[in-house]
Amino acid sequence: MFVYPQTYRKLKRGPQVILPKDIGIIIAYSGADKNSVCVDAGTGSGWLAVGLARVCKEVYSYDIRSDFLAIAQKNKDMLGLDNLILKNGDVKKKIDEKEVDLVTLDMPESEKALKNVKKALKIGGRVVSYIPHTEQVKKYVQTLEKLKFSDTHVVEVMVREMMVRKEGTRPSTKGIWHTAYLVFAVKQ
Amino acid sequence: MFVYPQTYRKLKRGPQVILPKDIGIIIAYSGADKNSVCVDAGTGSGWLAVGLARVCKEVYSYDIRSDFLAIAQKNKDMLGLDNLILKNGDVKKKIDEKEVDLVTLDMPESEKALKNVKKALKIGGRVVSYIPHTEQVKKYVQTLEKLKFSDTHVVEVMVREMMVRKEGTRPSTKGIWHTAYLVFAVKQ
Amino acid sequence: MFVYPQTYRKLKRGPQVILPKDIGIIIAYSGADKNSVCVDAGTGSGWLAVGLARVCKEVYSYDIRSDFLAIAQKNKDMLGLDNLILKNGDVKKKIDEKEVDLVTLDMPESEKALKNVKKALKIGGRVVSYIPHTEQVKKYVQTLEKLKFSDTHVVEVMVREMMVRKEGTRPSTKGIWHTAYLVFAVKQ
Amino acid sequence: MFVYPQTYRKLKRGPQVILPKDIGIIIAYSGADKNSVCVDAGTGSGWLAVGLARVCKEVYSYDIRSDFLAIAQKNKDMLGLDNLILKNGDVKKKIDEKEVDLVTLDMPESEKALKNVKKALKIGGRVVSYIPHTEQVKKYVQTLEKLKFSDTHVVEVMVREMMVRKEGTRPSTKGIWHTAYLVFAVKQ
């Protein structure tokens, strides 16, 4: 089984990964399921791509860097995910797939991919972008509005650990406070 | 598509539901995927059961109250989830399934179900309990230890909304601070 | 005594107030004490002004609106704070005081007051601004840098309630997630 | 001036200290001010004691360990706080002061001090305890009830840093998630 944190410790890490906390919320809030066809970009180490491939029908994951795709290929192979297709390419220039259910974006200036995303999504399809800084969140949201996406929803996910020990029960002293904002929207 | 918050607004609610934020983390941290066979109890309104059924192979969801199962049945039907089997029964007394990948528990005194959960799980299988109060978290964790479950991990999930508006970008003033603690463990 | 939440419930509220959670962190992080002379603007309902006056030597609080000063006057009178001096004026145009220890700013475009703030502060004196939106935080921080303030430090304060009841101990379900960012800096 | 984090870096640390975030909320929520007479125990490194002495009239701080008092003495001297009186003693056995405004407790089994605390406080006076674990919070709250303290209020304080940098504005990746719960109550 693929479980946190055991399996994640075995996965290869190259570029900054998307953590399970964000993968979980992307799945639950986007409605990704066994029937979903997804486009993902950039692949990076492929953590989100494999997380989606484990619950979705097909995932097409793009990256402009072939060295990153090589890392993701190892994670794909380790988990035996034949429904994950890794592609060397730039979604800001072109997305081959049509009528997809979900597009996930983790890249600088992800708003520049939104025109192509809109063409790739079916009506009612959803796009999620993973954005660390507030300035890009704003630019991205403004582009969503210009392109008539609906139901824009921005969240940040915090998972706090509790320790249950002989001396008592308490939250962990330190932990992760921020990875990125998740911006959800729907194609009308 | 099943998306947050649109689809959730249409789902029936009877007893207190498990929110998408917790469903997402349960999926991501437990490693639930298309090959997973799950047992879920108590069904309640069935939000977690349908959330799991959408990404897993089979979900067997137990409740001792048939009025709750009737609500869950409506949600199952609305989403067309044939792989969700609703069962009237008490997992503290008996779990019919064997070699399952995941058991999810949302009930008072869930620690009393753990003996049966252990029998139902395959080795490496995972159990997650949704527990609102710290006292029960402690009792439950102590029972996990007695029964030799491993990798106990307790978290709480906070999802904070950001508002991007003409007057500026800022987190929402108010929001949900707590639903329940999630306790994960593995059968050895 | 002046205690939370009892006394706060009696204080008058006109414009949006600064909550005790932020007042406490402003005091603790700015080093305000019995020897401190403070300038505060805008007064608003005067909650921060009276909070400072209770622990500091003198507080000069400016507002451009006399109707707000009237509300603050009532709060000052109720608490008997002779060391709080309410002034009708605009700190963006002029601050009369010199060699002050602390300036607190709660107003739109607070960065436009920073030149006067710098003149009013003694070396080593501190300025704190209460800023709801990230865009203004950025503008304000950039102005601090231009004016050679040091030790810029931006925080947000979250106070979460725990409920200890017969049925168990748990955090409150809902609560306040955001009021404003607090930006601290030191005059060199 | 006494400012965060500069002054705090110079303060001596022996036993675990109470951080400025908690000191600030203790001051703001307890209504400590220039007229307040406080009792504090245990002194530890004296961070809370000096924090209170800077804004209050008099602070009597007790510790059973003279080595801790020696550390606190250095912090007192560094800040020149003549109104802080360090005392070697056990508040569970005896509190010399009467009609005090505020008592702060940071010690194991602080509920065992509450009988003496009640005698020391004036009517309307407030007691605050700093308690890391949920089990002790519960025991302590139950003792407050038995002794007829009113207005019990339990909180935890989280201060999250924001980074404003050339590449963008975002919360810090990691930070402190928990120090202790603060339990406030009033003597009737």
Side-chain angles (χ1 to χ4, degrees):
Chain A
M1 269 189 96
F2 182 88
V3 291
Y4 177 84
Q6 294 83 346
T7 313
Y8 289 99
R9 283 191 194 126
K10 291 180 204 155
L11 289 178
K12 302 290 176 198
R13 274 185 187 233
Q16 188 62 40
V17 297
I18 295 184
L19 293 181
K21 74 175 180 73
D22 293 307
I23 296 174
I25 299 303
I26 289 171
I27 291 171
Y29 278 42
S30 72
D33 68 10
K34 288 187 281 183
N35 302 314
S36 303
V37 175
C38 310
V39 166
D40 169 62
T43 311
S45 302
W47 285 36
L48 176 56
V50 303
L52 290 171
R54 294 180 58 262
V55 300
C56 297
K57 191 174 165 196
E58 288 169 1
V59 178
Y60 299 88
S61 185
Y62 289 77
D63 209 295
I64 52 174
R65 288 185 56 169
S66 49
D67 54 337
F68 289 175
L69 290 168
I71 295 168
Q73 182 69 42
K74 282 186 187 159
N75 288 327
K76 171 189 159 166
D77 292 346
M78 188 173 82
L79 297 166
L81 294 163
D82 294 335
N83 62 334
L84 170 57
I85 296 95
L86 299 171
K87 302 178 75 162
N88 192 227
D90 182 354
V91 294
K92 289 174 187 164
K93 292 188 182 150
K94 186 159 184 284
I95 298 176
D96 301 325
E97 293 71 27
K98 299 287 166 211
E99 292 288 306
V100 306
D101 298 287
L102 176 63
V103 178
T104 56
L105 300 173
D106 173 21
M107 60 177 64
E109 302 187 293
S110 54
E111 65 276 7
K112 293 190 177 167
L114 281 173
K115 272 194 190 171
N116 288 339
V117 165
K118 201 177 172 188
K119 285 184 218 157
L121 281 173
K122 69 177 192 190
I123 288 170
R126 186 158 280 216
V127 57
V128 190
S129 189
Y130 177 93
I131 305 179
H133 294 101
T134 59
E135 290 88 347
Q136 202 204 333
V137 168
K138 186 169 196 170
K139 247 190 229 175
Y140 180 86
V141 167
Q142 288 171 336
T143 309
L144 284 173
E145 284 165 9
K146 251 182 250 165
L147 295 175
K148 312 249 182 258
F149 282 85
S150 71
D151 300 276
T152 300
H153 190 65
V154 186
V155 300
E156 51 179 337
V157 182
M158 291 172 256
V159 173
R160 184 159 83 144
E161 284 187 62
M162 286 291 280
M163 297 184 303
V164 181
R165 298 182 305 182
K166 233 179 282 178
E167 58 269 41
T169 302
R170 49 167 290 171
S172 284
T173 302
K174 294 187 181 179
I176 290 178
W177 262 113
H178 182 74
T179 51
Y181 301 99
L182 301 178
V183 187
F184 295 85
V186 177
K187 174 182 170 176
Q188 296 200 288
Chain B
M1 270 189 95
F2 183 89
V3 290
Y4 178 84
Q6 293 83 346
T7 313
Y8 289 98
R9 282 191 195 126
K10 291 180 204 154
L11 289 178
K12 301 289 175 198
R13 276 184 185 232
Q16 187 62 39
V17 296
I18 296 186
L19 294 181
K21 75 175 182 70
D22 293 307
I23 297 174
I25 298 303
I26 288 171
I27 291 171
Y29 278 42
S30 71
D33 68 10
K34 288 187 282 184
N35 303 313
S36 303
V37 175
C38 309
V39 167
D40 169 63
T43 311
S45 303
W47 285 35
L48 176 56
V50 304
L52 289 171
R54 294 180 58 263
V55 300
C56 296
K57 194 174 162 195
E58 288 169 3
V59 178
Y60 300 87
S61 186
Y62 289 76
D63 209 295
I64 52 173
R65 288 184 57 168
S66 49
D67 54 337
F68 290 175
L69 289 168
I71 296 168
Q73 182 70 42
K74 282 186 188 160
N75 288 326
K76 172 189 160 167
D77 292 345
M78 188 173 81
L79 296 165
L81 294 164
D82 295 334
N83 63 334
L84 170 57
I85 297 95
L86 298 171
K87 301 177 74 162
N88 192 227
D90 183 353
V91 294
K92 289 174 187 166
K93 293 188 182 149
K94 187 158 183 286
I95 299 177
D96 302 323
E97 293 71 27
K98 298 289 165 211
E99 292 288 305
V100 307
D101 298 288
L102 176 64
V103 178
T104 55
L105 299 173
D106 172 22
M107 59 177 66
E109 303 187 292
S110 53
E111 64 278 6
K112 294 191 176 166
L114 281 173
K115 272 194 190 171
N116 288 341
V117 166
K118 201 178 172 187
K119 283 184 219 156
L121 281 173
K122 70 177 192 189
I123 289 171
R126 185 157 280 216
V127 57
V128 191
S129 189
Y130 176 92
I131 305 179
H133 294 103
T134 61
E135 291 87 348
Q136 201 203 333
V137 168
K138 186 170 196 167
K139 248 190 229 175
Y140 180 86
V141 167
Q142 288 170 337
T143 309
L144 284 172
E145 283 165 9
K146 252 182 249 164
L147 295 174
K148 310 251 183 259
F149 282 85
S150 70
D151 300 277
T152 300
H153 190 65
V154 186
V155 301
E156 51 179 337
V157 181
M158 291 172 254
V159 172
R160 183 159 80 145
E161 284 188 63
M162 288 288 283
M163 298 184 302
V164 181
R165 301 183 301 185
K166 233 180 280 177
E167 57 269 42
T169 302
R170 50 166 289 172
S172 283
T173 301
K174 294 188 181 178
I176 291 177
W177 261 114
H178 182 73
T179 51
Y181 300 100
L182 301 178
V183 187
F184 295 86
V186 177
K187 174 182 171 175
Q188 293 199 292
Chain C
M1 270 188 95
F2 182 88
V3 291
Y4 178 84
Q6 293 83 346
T7 313
Y8 289 98
R9 283 190 194 127
K10 291 180 205 154
L11 289 178
K12 301 289 175 198
R13 277 186 183 230
Q16 188 61 39
V17 296
I18 295 185
L19 294 181
K21 74 175 182 73
D22 294 307
I23 296 174
I25 298 303
I26 288 171
I27 291 171
Y29 278 42
S30 73
D33 69 9
K34 288 188 281 184
N35 303 312
S36 303
V37 176
C38 310
V39 167
D40 169 62
T43 310
S45 302
W47 284 37
L48 176 57
V50 302
L52 289 171
R54 295 180 58 261
V55 300
C56 296
K57 194 174 162 193
E58 288 169 2
V59 177
Y60 299 87
S61 186
Y62 288 76
D63 209 296
I64 52 174
R65 289 185 55 169
S66 48
D67 53 338
F68 290 173
L69 290 168
I71 296 168
Q73 182 70 42
K74 282 185 188 161
N75 288 326
K76 171 189 160 167
D77 292 345
M78 188 174 81
L79 297 165
L81 294 163
D82 295 335
N83 63 334
L84 169 57
I85 297 94
L86 298 170
K87 302 177 74 162
N88 193 227
D90 183 354
V91 294
K92 289 175 186 164
K93 292 189 182 149
K94 187 158 182 287
I95 299 176
D96 301 325
E97 293 71 26
K98 299 288 166 208
E99 292 288 306
V100 306
D101 298 287
L102 175 64
V103 178
T104 55
L105 299 173
D106 172 22
M107 59 177 66
E109 303 188 294
S110 54
E111 65 277 7
K112 293 191 177 165
L114 282 173
K115 271 194 190 171
N116 288 340
V117 166
K118 201 177 172 188
K119 284 183 218 157
L121 282 173
K122 70 178 191 189
I123 288 170
R126 186 157 280 215
V127 58
V128 191
S129 189
Y130 177 92
I131 305 178
H133 295 102
T134 59
E135 291 87 347
Q136 201 204 334
V137 168
K138 185 169 197 172
K139 247 189 228 174
Y140 181 86
V141 167
Q142 288 170 337
T143 309
L144 284 173
E145 284 164 9
K146 249 182 250 165
L147 295 174
K148 311 248 182 261
F149 282 85
S150 70
D151 301 275
T152 300
H153 190 63
V154 186
V155 300
E156 51 179 338
V157 181
M158 291 172 254
V159 172
R160 183 160 81 144
E161 283 188 64
M162 286 290 282
M163 298 184 302
V164 181
R165 300 182 302 184
K166 234 179 280 178
E167 58 269 41
T169 303
R170 49 166 289 171
S172 283
T173 301
K174 293 188 183 181
I176 291 177
W177 262 113
H178 182 74
T179 50
Y181 300 100
L182 301 178
V183 187
F184 295 86
V186 177
K187 174 182 170 175
Q188 295 200 291
Chain D
M1 269 189 96
F2 183 89
V3 290
Y4 178 83
Q6 293 84 346
T7 313
Y8 289 98
R9 283 189 194 128
K10 290 180 204 153
L11 289 178
K12 300 290 174 197
R13 275 185 187 232
Q16 189 60 38
V17 297
I18 295 185
L19 294 182
K21 73 175 182 70
D22 293 308
I23 297 174
I25 299 303
I26 289 171
I27 291 170
Y29 278 42
S30 72
D33 69 10
K34 288 185 282 183
N35 302 314
S36 304
V37 175
C38 310
V39 167
D40 169 62
T43 312
S45 303
W47 284 37
L48 176 56
V50 303
L52 290 170
R54 295 180 58 262
V55 300
C56 296
K57 193 174 164 196
E58 288 169 2
V59 178
Y60 299 87
S61 185
Y62 288 77
D63 209 294
I64 53 175
R65 289 184 55 169
S66 49
D67 53 338
F68 289 174
L69 289 167
I71 295 168
Q73 183 69 42
K74 282 186 188 159
N75 288 327
K76 171 188 160 168
D77 292 346
M78 188 174 81
L79 296 166
L81 294 163
D82 294 335
N83 63 333
L84 169 58
I85 297 94
L86 298 170
K87 302 178 74 163
N88 193 227
D90 183 354
V91 293
K92 290 173 187 166
K93 294 188 183 149
K94 186 160 184 287
I95 298 176
D96 301 324
E97 293 71 26
K98 299 287 166 212
E99 292 288 307
V100 306
D101 299 286
L102 175 65
V103 178
T104 56
L105 299 173
D106 172 22
M107 59 178 63
E109 303 187 291
S110 54
E111 64 277 7
K112 294 190 177 166
L114 282 173
K115 271 193 190 171
N116 288 340
V117 165
K118 200 176 173 189
K119 284 184 220 156
L121 281 172
K122 69 177 192 191
I123 288 170
R126 185 157 281 215
V127 57
V128 191
S129 189
Y130 177 94
I131 305 178
H133 294 102
T134 59
E135 290 87 347
Q136 202 203 334
V137 168
K138 185 169 198 172
K139 248 189 230 176
Y140 180 86
V141 167
Q142 287 170 337
T143 309
L144 284 172
E145 284 165 9
K146 251 181 250 166
L147 295 174
K148 310 247 183 262
F149 282 86
S150 71
D151 301 276
T152 300
H153 190 64
V154 186
V155 300
E156 52 180 337
V157 181
M158 292 172 255
V159 173
R160 184 159 81 144
E161 282 188 64
M162 286 289 282
M163 298 185 301
V164 180
R165 300 182 304 185
K166 234 179 281 178
E167 57 268 41
T169 301
R170 48 167 290 171
S172 283
T173 301
K174 294 187 182 180
I176 290 177
W177 262 113
H178 183 74
T179 51
Y181 300 99
L182 301 178
V183 187
F184 295 85
V186 177
K187 174 181 170 176
Q188 296 199 291

